[in-house]
Structures are given as C-alpha cells and as structure tokens.
Amino acid sequence: MPIELILIEILTLILFLAGNYFLKKTFGRGVSRFFQGILFVLAAYFIFKFVIFPPIPSALLYTYMGLICLVVFLLLSSTDSSWNEFQDPIIKTLEARTPGFKTVRMITFGVFPVLAGIGAYNFIKPNFQEPIELRTVHPAPPGAIQVHGSNMVLQEAKSPFRVDEQGKYSEGIENKYLKANPFDEKAPPYMKYVREGGEIFFQNCHFCHGDNLDARGMFAFAFNPIPANFTDPGTIAQLQETFVFWRVAKGGIGLPREGFPWASAMPPWEKHLTTDEMWKVIEFEYWHTGYYPRTWD
Amino acid sequence: MKKDIWYRIKSKPFLLSLAGLAAFSFFSLFFIVLGSAEEKKAGAEKVSVSPGRPDKASPEDLESGKNIYFRKCVWCHGPTGAGDGPAADRLWPRPRNFNAGTFKIRHTASGELPTEEDLFLTVTHGLPGSAMPSWAGILSDKERMQVVRFVRTELVKDRNFLDKETEEFHKIEFGKQVATSKESIEKGKLVYMTKGKCVECHGNDGRGDGNKTQKDEWGFPILPADLRKCWNFRGNREDPYNPKNIFREVSTGLNGTPMPSFADVLSPEDRWNVANFVISLCPPKKIDPLTAKPVLQFVVKSGYNKGEIPSDTNDPKWVSAESTYVGLAGQITEKPRNFVRLVDEVWVKSLYNDKEIAYYFEWDDRNKSVAQPESGNYELQPADVKEVPPGGEPVAVKGQDGWSVYNDSIGIQFPAKWEQLAAPEKPRFIFGDEKNPVDLWKWNAAGGINEYTGKGISNPLTPRDGKNVKIVASEYKDGRWKVILKRDRLTNDKDNEVQFTLGQYIPTSFYIWDGNNGDKGAKTSISTWYYTILKPPVPNNVYVIPPVVVLVVIGFEFWLRRKFEKKKK
C-alpha cells in the first residue's frame, strides 16, 4: 500500500495545484492561504481515516494530525506575506466591515461555542472501553525444556526432519521443495515429513491458525489476543525453530508472565502430540509459508 | 448590478470558501473513485472466468492448478477431491466432495453445475461459518482461476462441464429488485410462514430449529441455517446484509441439501420480499472483514437499575440494556476437545442495583436438551464423552440415536479474588489455575444452578455449598435460550466468591454446553476473558463542565469582538 499512498498524495497535490491555477486564471486569484491550510489538513485527515487500509489506531491518527497541523502552521508562517494572507480572512471576519463578513462572524461565533461544548462533553463523558494491556509477543525462552521425559537445550537442538535425501540436516531444504507436491508418492523423505506435519496441522491447529496459516481459522475471532499469523514475517520467520518448538510444546500456559499465559488458548501440545509430531508440524509451517527459521548466531 | 455581483465573487471570502468546499468534495469523490478502481484492480487482474458454459482448460492451467491444489486445498478436500482430507473428520460443515459435481453456491438453476465464475467467487470470498477461508490476497486471481479449472476438470468426476448434451447452464433472473421496506418485509414474512413453507425447516423465529434430523446427499446430518446470523451464511459473498444473496439462494436452491429451489413456486417479487425479510432478522452489527464475524468488544457494561431487577425477559429495562456480543470457540486446548461446537455466540446484558447484580444471557440452540438434574459432583472428564465423533460424524443431531444427551448449560466465571491480582494478570481462562482460582456459576437446563471453585483443568471443579446465585428467569422458545441470573454484589465468602465493586473492570468469561452435541465437562464452548464493569452513576461534572466551556468561549468571543471593533475605529 505505501506506493499507492504516495501516489494518492502526489495526485492530490497535483490536483490541488491544477485547481488553484485554474481558479487563479478565471477569477484572478487562487484559494487563499487560509483555505489552503484548512484544505490540506482536511485532505490529510480524510486519507488517514478513510483511504488507508487497514485502519490506523486513533492514537496514531491524532499524532499524525498533530504533526500535519504543525507542518501546515510552519509553512504558512514561513514568510510574512504568506502569514498575512493566512491571517487576512480571520481578521476581516473579526472586524466584520461588510455585511458579508458580519454574517460569517455571526455563524462562526455561533458555531464555535457549540463545538467546544460538544467536544468538552465527549472528552469528559465516561465511555468504559476495555483497558489497554500490552503483551510481550516473543518473550525470552528458557535455556532448556523437558519434553516427554527428555531434556532439550534450545540453543543446540535441531529439527530431526529438516533433512536432505541422505538424511543429513540441511538448512535450505524447504527452498528446494517449495512448490513440490506433498502427496506425490515419489516425494523425498523431507516432503513426506511435511505431509505428515500438514495432516497433524489440519487436524489440530487450523481451527485457530487458519487454513492458510494466517490466523484466520474458524475459532480465531473468539480469542484475544488473536492467534499467531505464520505468514506474517514477524512470527516464525524471525524465530529459531527451537523457540517455535518451545511454544508448541508448552503452549500458552507455559509462557512467562509478560506473555499473558492466562489469556492464550494455545494448548501445551506435548499433552496431545509426540515430540516427532510437533517437529513435523513445525517443518510443515516453514514449508507452507516459505520462510526459514532464524539461527542462533 | 452585474458588476456588483462580480465584485462580490472576486472579493468575498465566504464565497471563496464555497469554492474551497467544492474543491474538497471533488477531492473526496476523486478518492472514492480511485479507491474503488484500486479494489477492482486487486480483484480482477485480467483473468476471464466463464459466466456460462466454460471452455476446455489449457494444460498449463491444469498443471498450475494441480500444483496449487496439492499445496493449499488438499488438506481438507483430499487428494481425490472426495472431501476427505486429513482435516475433514473434525470439521462441520464438512469440506465439499467435488466428485459428484454438486455445489451449493451457484447462479444456475437447481441441479445444474455452477458456472466457472461461481466457483471462482466461492474460492475468492470463502464460505463464512465454515473452515473455507477467503483466498483473495493469498492466491492471485490467475491462481484462483487455475485451481478452479483443475477442480472442475479433474476432480468433478461424475459430470462433465463441457458436455453440451447433458449439462445446461440456466442463470437465474434477478428480475426487478424490490427495495427493502416495512411493507416488503411484512409480505416476505407471510411468504416465509405460508406459501414458501420456509418456517418448516428454519423455524418460527428463523433460528434453524425446524427440521433438525435431515441428511445431505452424502448421508451426513445437516441443520437448517440460523437466519439470525447472516454473517455465517455460506453464500453471502462477504456481504452479509445484501438481500441479493438470499434471493439467489432461494432461487437456485442448495444442491445436495434439503434446501430446494423456489424459482417455480415463488414469483421473483415474492422471493425479493422473502430475501428482505430474512435480512431483517439479522441484527445489524459491524462485521470484521478479516474474520467475517461481528467486531468484538470485550466489555459487558452493567447499567444501574433503580429497585428490583426485572424478572420478565421482555421488560423494557432489559430490552434497552446494552447487549454485548460474545464469540465462542470450541474448547480444543484440553481433552476432551470440542472440535464441532454448534453454539458460536452468546449475547450478554447486565443490570445492577444497590444490592444485586444480574446477567441476562441469550443464545441460539436448535435443540432444547434436558437431562437429569446435575449433582454438585462435577465430572471434568467424564469417561463417556468421546473426543472425536466416530467416522467424522458430528455428535450434533445425533442425540436421539445413540449419543447421551446432556443438559444445555451456561457458565460464567470470574477470578475469585480479582482485587488482589496485579493488572493485567488473571487466572487461566479455562477453569482457572492453582495460583488464581476462579468463581464459576453454572446454570443447567434441568433448572439447577451450581457454584464452583476452579483451580485448573487438572483439578476437578470444587462445588461450594453457598447458594448465592439465583435464577431470575429461564426460558426456551423457538431455538433460543434466555436465562437471567442474579447474585448479591457483595458476599461473606470473600476467598471464593467474586465481589462486585462499582466502576472496576472485573474479568469475566463464558461457557456454553450444548447438551445435544454431547457437551459435558471440558467439552464445551468457551470465550476468552471479557470484563464486566458496573457503570457508576454519571458524574455531575459531565453536565457542568461543557456549559462552562461554552460560556468561556462566548466570553472570549465577546472580548475578541470588542477588541477588533475598537481597532476598526
């Protein structure tokens, strides 16, 4: 979206300049500095609020709008002539020398207190939104974990299924079989493991993490926080495979306090799956998303 | 005179402001046009899918489509397209079996194959209320087109899209759309109740509680749609409140299901009226485009009620109370897991007075299930609860033949001592944990109410003797349970029982057990943590400060005016 956004902004600017030029040619004067400022702020608000998707949080919106107002103000007051041009309609309205300006003043003076009143009301009216709770998404893992009776040192362990045709651990293997068919009978061992992992995934995990591993499963909507989206480069793509194994084996309840163990629906999968099954699911996740795990160094 | 006007236009800022406004509206329009153009661009990158009889698919399309199918679709739909992938047995509705060429969501007449465009749209938008996601943005238009061509050519085995002798594609006529209105909805309701006989399956209130023992073409149990949840309609094309989708389904019928085509029975006008009526049943909610479900707000706001809590479910005080939509997922964290949960939502209201707090729960359940009164002895993992229904058949609607029916129940749970928890800490949301126990109230359809202390899934819930929670009302009508429970806000057992303090966020979560679905113990539908807040009386300063602000601004205006009048002189 960023390119489209920049395009929209440039187009707006061009349109604005063209419109202004047109006005200048026909009426002898363009949009006054005052309205230029207002128009710019309104257009920015419109783009941030309605054009950008997904929507940005309101706190960010207000920060952006504050910055935009500041920039507009700085631009308008950069030269004396521009500042005077900006002030001109305001002073004329306040002075109200002609009947027209008198009307404008009457309207502004009527509208302003009402707006201020509504604003004050909205500001102090209690609204009972849910409290904001900030959760650490990837808390520090422990040094070692106990799974099914054996000790696993996270910095040393390796997936037993990320292997090439000779059965050797191979770091880039998923790249080689990215477009392979896991149901092909002649598939190499790695793809067989992927297929088995996929079967486990689609019997257990897709309810939350989704058919496309994008956190849009049938049950996902009910949870807060929402399940992890593996297609997002911020999840398994930037974690070591043993970190992922720790999360799968110990589940939400095994998170440290900053990870909100009480709110996570992630099962401790060691209760339902064997160590091999968990590794296979992880293989499948990396294969399906096309990412590969981070290494420890 | 003319010159005068010209002069005004040239100099009057308020007219120029009009020009500014016009320019602004022009920009807005420009954005809207640009925005929709962009959407179109994203949606159709020059692929042509046939809106009628399709052409023979090219070998390249089939090859590429096959590749996509075996990476993305095979897991549910299976290697031969028989709807028997590894996921199938734990899904309900089950994945489509392509082999017979029977498809529900179409624009073609009853019994006919769908057009290629129909299949393309289904893959693009997904099927809400099922596991089929929207593939837009995941697969490109071309990829979706290719996988559709692969499916219709290779996996539809009993029929041939290209065979001109056996296959016809009669697209339904939409006629002249009848705009929705009170009158049209009334007429639609009449058709629903009488001529269309919709009521026989979908029930008096549209909650799908009519005929519950039907089977689909493959022999799997099938339930009529709950028309009050339009966001779950499979064929709604991600546009839940559009009557056009209902018109289409009423006209085409859903192949392979008991839903027939009404094209010959009802006039297009009747069908539009029915469509408007059906849409009018669905509560208007903001739909989250990512989940295709109503947007969740995790707060139950309890309103102050002077005097006695009303015991009538239709009391205006309850009707006007704010209703919170609570989404429910199957409990699949701990055994026995509930992969097929039929109750996916509960609506919660709350009122409090000086002494008590009351919760009002409403949820749709097609079967009223009542078993023997439950003893306080809560079995967390009863031996007779199966985790996976045999042969992938959901336990739902099996109640009558073979499966035990348990009590429909609702549970609401709080941390027993939330005051002592340092925010945001809470007990675990599934029955609490050792460190932080929960206070769980469970109402069951046999008319009982039990209070438990929960200390985690591996410790059975401990029933308590205290009988503090009272049933204010409970009724089942036309596929919907309504239950009102109340309790004193403060009790003596402060170690085990939640205390309701004004204006504080009290963690709250919910359970539903669907007795007919075999739900019991840990086999349940659950929500995540919500909050209850007893809204304190509106502080007086809400009524004082805004007028003061108004007065101050007016005062400032007078001062400004005076200053500039003086300057003028």
Side-chain angles (χ1 to χ4, degrees):
Chain A
M1 187 78 201
I3 291 164
E4 280 98 330
L5 192 68
I6 292 167
L7 221 92
I8 287 173
E9 276 159 5
I10 292 172
L11 269 171
T12 320
L13 213 68
I14 291 171
L15 257 177
F16 173 76
L17 291 176
N20 203 24
Y21 178 76
F22 173 77
L23 282 178
K24 244 183 199 159
K25 252 201 140 166
T26 18
F27 297 111
R29 57 185 290 178
V31 180
S32 83
R33 287 282 178 192
F34 179 70
F35 289 106
Q36 279 184 16
I38 290 185
L39 212 72
F40 195 86
V41 171
L42 284 179
Y45 181 77
F46 187 85
I47 292 176
F48 289 142
K49 184 93 189 174
F50 301 106
V51 179
I52 296 184
F53 188 85
I56 54 175
S58 59
L60 202 61
L61 179 74
Y62 293 140
T63 317
Y64 285 174
M65 288 317 294
L67 278 175
I68 295 272
C69 286
L70 194 75
V71 168
V72 168
F73 184 77
L74 283 175
L75 277 175
L76 287 172
S77 59
S78 58
T79 62
D80 275 348
S81 69
S82 139
W83 182 237
N84 288 338
E85 202 186 325
F86 174 70
Q87 279 183 321
D88 186 51
I90 304 175
I91 292 171
K92 274 185 182 152
T93 309
L94 288 170
E95 286 177 347
R97 282 178 204 269
T98 58
F101 273 115
K102 225 172 192 159
T103 329
V104 173
R105 186 171 75 177
M106 225 162 72
I107 294 169
T108 349
F109 275 24
V111 167
F112 259 101
V114 174
L115 285 180
I118 294 173
Y121 175 77
N122 281 334
F123 187 72
I124 57 169
K125 179 190 68 172
N127 69 355
F128 310 115
Q129 292 306 304
E130 58 186 286
I132 294 170
E133 295 169 348
L134 297 175
R135 171 177 166 266
T136 306
V137 183
H138 301 311
I145 52 172
Q146 283 283 334
V147 182
H148 291 305
S150 56
N151 191 55
M152 179 186 283
V153 180
L154 295 192
Q155 292 219 26
E156 290 168 6
K158 272 181 181 165
S159 165
F161 300 110
R162 185 185 302 280
V163 290
D164 58 20
E165 285 78 351
Q166 281 76 46
K168 276 207 203 113
Y169 187 86
S170 163
E171 242 167 52
I173 186 104
E174 54 270 78
N175 239 353
K176 190 170 165 194
Y177 294 109
L178 213 52
K179 299 248 164 179
N181 175 355
F183 284 75
D184 188 345
E185 302 207 335
K186 292 181 295 247
Y190 171 75
M191 282 311 292
K192 284 204 182 95
Y193 302 141
V194 164
R195 173 180 167 171
E196 285 162 21
E199 288 174 355
I200 297 160
F201 183 91
F202 277 91
Q203 279 163 7
N204 296 284
C205 319
H206 82 93
F207 296 93
C208 295
H209 294 290
D211 302 47
N212 197 53
L213 286 65
D214 56 355
R216 287 163 67 173
M218 287 171 92
F219 293 166
F221 82 106
F223 292 121
N224 179 23
I226 53 165
N229 172 358
F230 302 141
T231 61
D232 182 313
T235 61
I236 58 169
Q238 56 152 278
L239 296 170
Q240 300 86 357
E241 57 183 347
T242 46
F243 184 107
V244 179
F245 186 89
W246 165 56
R247 294 306 332 122
V248 171
K250 299 297 172 183
I253 202 163
L255 285 166
R257 190 179 186 280
E258 65 267 27
F260 290 18
W262 51 85
S264 169
M266 176 76 171
W269 284 104
E270 58 179 346
K271 282 190 175 183
H272 306 286
L273 303 174
T274 64
T275 301
D276 281 359
E277 285 173 328
M278 289 189 276
W279 275 125
K280 283 174 188 165
V281 167
I282 294 168
E283 279 312 329
F284 169 75
E285 285 165 7
Y286 280 112
W287 172 78
H288 193 279
T289 54
Y291 292 131
Y292 25 86
R294 209 161 122 186
T295 48
W296 283 96
D297 30 66
Chain B
M1 188 64 195
K2 229 178 185 177
K3 217 176 167 187
D4 202 31
I5 290 170
W6 181 236
Y7 174 77
R8 276 187 181 204
I9 289 173
K10 266 180 90 171
S11 67
K12 291 292 179 285
F14 74 92
L15 279 178
L16 264 180
S17 74
L18 267 184
L21 207 72
F24 179 64
S25 3
F26 175 74
F27 286 139
S28 315
L29 206 75
F30 166 73
F31 284 128
I32 290 163
V33 171
L34 194 89
S36 65
E38 220 163 73
E39 233 166 61
K40 264 185 207 144
K41 202 179 86 194
E45 141 223 319
K46 303 235 169 52
V47 297
S48 70
V49 280
S50 164
R53 180 187 305 282
D55 298 324
K56 195 163 187 289
S58 72
E60 299 84 64
D61 282 350
L62 291 181
E63 186 52 37
S64 170
K66 181 179 176 186
N67 195 288
I68 296 158
Y69 182 87
F70 276 95
R71 282 184 294 128
K72 303 282 188 185
C73 321
V74 65
W75 309 104
C76 291
H77 295 286
T80 58
D84 58 354
D89 280 356
R90 285 179 177 177
L91 282 181
W92 205 71
R94 286 180 71 90
R96 174 55 62 239
N97 177 344
F98 300 130
N99 296 165
T102 307
F103 292 92
K104 292 202 283 188
I105 314 300
R106 308 170 334 273
H107 279 91
T108 54
S110 182
E112 291 183 354
L113 289 168
T115 67
E116 193 169 77
E117 194 183 25
D118 283 332
L119 295 175
F120 180 79
L121 284 172
T122 296
V123 174
T124 303
H125 296 300
L127 298 171
S130 82
M132 175 79 173
S134 155
W135 292 96
I138 295 166
L139 299 173
S140 71
D141 281 22
K142 197 171 166 199
E143 289 172 317
R144 274 176 275 138
M145 180 265 291
Q146 288 170 331
V147 80
V148 160
R149 289 193 175 159
F150 170 72
V151 168
R152 75 159 163 82
T153 311
E154 305 274 333
L155 301 182
V156 173
K157 293 176 177 163
D158 304 348
R159 297 174 76 164
N160 184 351
F161 278 74
L162 308 177
D163 191 334
K164 287 195 174 122
E165 277 174 28
T166 53
E167 302 301 345
E168 291 185 56
F169 296 85
H170 295 106
K171 289 191 78 179
I172 54 150
E173 300 282 336
F174 281 91
K176 192 170 172 285
Q177 177 165 0
V178 179
T180 185
S181 66
K182 233 178 159 174
E183 201 196 346
S184 164
I185 290 170
E186 276 303 312
K187 282 185 189 162
K189 186 175 182 180
L190 197 68
V191 175
Y192 177 93
M193 289 293 185
T194 56
K195 218 188 324 178
K197 297 185 184 163
C198 318
V199 63
E200 286 180 11
C201 288
H202 292 284
N204 285 328
D205 219 14
R207 298 188 195 274
D209 59 321
N211 189 344
K212 292 162 292 207
T213 54
Q214 304 180 83
K215 302 230 158 154
D216 67 13
E217 218 173 270
W218 296 269
F220 295 113
I222 188 165
L223 292 170
D226 182 341
L227 303 180
R228 299 267 170 174
K229 301 178 185 176
C230 55
W231 46 83
N232 281 351
F233 292 173
R234 239 69 79 207
N236 78 0
R237 310 277 197 220
E238 286 203 334
D239 193 5
Y241 296 96
N242 191 344
K244 210 173 159 181
N245 294 318
I246 312 293
F247 179 95
R248 190 194 69 243
E249 295 189 0
V250 172
S251 306
T252 64
L254 301 180
N255 286 356
T257 79
M259 171 81 181
S261 156
F262 290 85
D264 301 330
V265 187
L266 301 176
S267 69
E269 200 194 330
D270 278 347
R271 280 177 267 151
W272 277 116
N273 291 336
V274 164
N276 290 335
F277 168 67
V278 167
I279 290 300
S280 78
L281 295 176
C282 189
K285 295 289 285 181
K286 201 177 161 202
I287 304 295
D288 183 336
L290 292 183
T291 61
K293 295 274 193 181
V295 176
L296 301 186
Q297 306 269 314
F298 296 95
V299 184
V300 175
K301 296 170 191 168
S302 187
Y304 181 70
N305 177 67
K306 213 167 175 203
E308 191 73 12
I309 304 280
S311 60
D312 181 0
T313 53
N314 295 318
D315 190 282
K317 280 179 181 160
W318 277 124
V319 172
S320 63
E322 195 175 332
S323 192
T324 301
Y325 172 88
V326 174
L328 298 175
Q331 193 290 104
I332 55 169
T333 303
E334 308 282 355
K335 282 177 178 159
R337 294 174 289 175
N338 190 16
F339 295 106
V340 175
R341 59 94 172 79
L342 287 192
V343 180
D344 59 355
E345 59 182 42
V346 52
W347 299 78
V348 184
K349 297 177 181 182
S350 178
L351 290 175
Y352 74 93
N353 60 23
D354 296 326
K355 191 165 164 278
E356 299 163 315
I357 178 166
Y359 285 92
Y360 181 155
F361 308 99
E362 294 172 272
W363 72 98
D364 288 7
D365 182 344
R366 293 177 181 89
N367 289 287
K368 178 183 182 180
S369 330
V370 185
Q372 293 306 306
E374 273 180 36
S375 68
N377 219 341
Y378 192 92
E379 296 166 272
L380 199 64
Q381 300 192 6
D384 54 342
V385 169
K386 308 269 190 305
E387 191 176 85
V388 184
E393 206 160 333
V395 194
V397 294
K398 276 220 87 181
Q400 300 90 332
D401 40 346
W403 287 88
S404 299
V405 171
Y406 303 112
N407 282 321
D408 283 340
S409 304
I410 182 152
I412 178 168
Q413 112 185 337
F414 313 88
K417 289 177 282 190
W418 60 268
E419 305 91 332
Q420 293 173 16
L421 295 175
E425 189 170 353
K426 298 173 192 75
R428 193 171 188 222
F429 78 109
I430 309 170
F431 300 120
D433 54 60
E434 297 255 6
K435 192 170 142 224
N436 298 316
V438 289
D439 176 10
L440 174 70
W441 316 343
K442 187 184 174 198
W443 169 92
N444 62 63
I449 178 109
N450 291 304
E451 294 166 47
Y452 299 97
T453 299
K455 289 191 178 170
I457 195 88
S458 37
N459 308 295
L461 296 178
T462 321
R464 292 196 309 264
D465 293 333
K467 292 278 174 228
N468 295 315
V469 184
K470 306 266 184 312
I471 302 168
V472 179
S474 66
E475 58 186 55
Y476 180 87
K477 194 170 172 280
D478 294 328
R480 192 165 182 85
W481 275 108
K482 293 180 181 180
V483 173
I484 305 177
L485 304 177
K486 73 173 179 185
R487 209 204 70 181
D488 282 356
R489 279 167 48 193
L490 304 175
T491 63
N492 294 326
D493 186 358
K494 297 201 169 20
D495 280 341
N496 292 307
E497 291 170 1
V498 57
Q499 308 295 312
F500 293 94
T501 326
L502 211 60
Q504 300 288 318
Y505 288 94
I506 303 167
T508 313
S509 76
F510 308 91
Y511 300 86
I512 295 271
W513 288 266
D514 181 358
N516 202 73
N517 192 31
D519 290 7
K520 190 180 183 185
K523 186 170 183 294
T524 174
S525 300
I526 47 169
S527 81
T528 185
W529 281 116
Y530 284 63
Y531 286 100
T532 297
I533 183 164
L534 279 62
K535 286 195 284 181
V538 181
N540 285 331
N541 64 11
V542 172
Y543 305 111
V544 177
I545 292 176
V548 170
V549 169
V550 171
L551 286 179
V552 169
V553 174
I554 291 178
F556 178 69
E557 284 176 351
F558 269 100
W559 174 80
L560 260 183
R561 203 186 127 145
R562 258 193 54 203
K563 197 180 156 199
F564 276 89
E565 293 289 332
K566 252 186 210 159
K567 207 170 152 194
K568 208 157 75 179
K569 272 159 204 164

